[in-house]
Amino acid sequence: MNENKEIDDLYRQIENITMGTEPLLSAGVLMAQALRIYKTVLSDDEFDRMTSHILSLRDDIIKYDTTKPTTH
């Protein structure tokens, strides 16, 4: 399986799971899990660089369009 398809498939699976849940609860759990995974598998320097990179992209994040119905 090509890596982009695998990522897209996983993204859609997680999106489908979280769409029925209160958005802030989903976001909090996903953020906590992501940081825990990064902290576990990266060196301290890599973790610092990753979290700094994520923070630097905060203005590039696109909001969901809540005026359109979602497709599951």
Side-chain angles (χ1 to χ4, degrees):
M1 178 180 279
N2 120 7
E3 186 175 321
N4 287 336
K5 180 166 178 8
E6 189 174 356
I7 291 170
D8 289 343
D9 289 348
L10 180 58
Y11 184 91
R12 295 293 168 230
Q13 289 174 25
I14 292 171
E15 184 178 51
N16 286 333
I17 291 168
T18 60
M19 290 307 290
T21 306
E22 200 282 317
L24 290 178
L25 291 176
S26 294
V29 168
L30 292 170
M31 179 66 79
Q33 288 298 312
L35 290 171
R36 189 172 189 185
I37 292 167
Y38 288 143
K39 189 72 168 178
T40 300
V41 300
L42 299 175
S43 69
D44 289 344
D45 181 59
E46 291 169 326
F47 178 80
D48 290 343
R49 287 188 294 135
M50 175 64 78
T51 54
S52 292
H53 180 69
I54 292 168
L55 185 59
S56 75
L57 296 175
R58 68 185 176 276
D59 293 330
D60 297 337
I61 297 170
I62 299 169
K63 292 181 181 183
Y64 281 108
D65 183 352
T66 58
T67 63
K68 295 181 183 177
T70 58
T71 57
H72 307 77

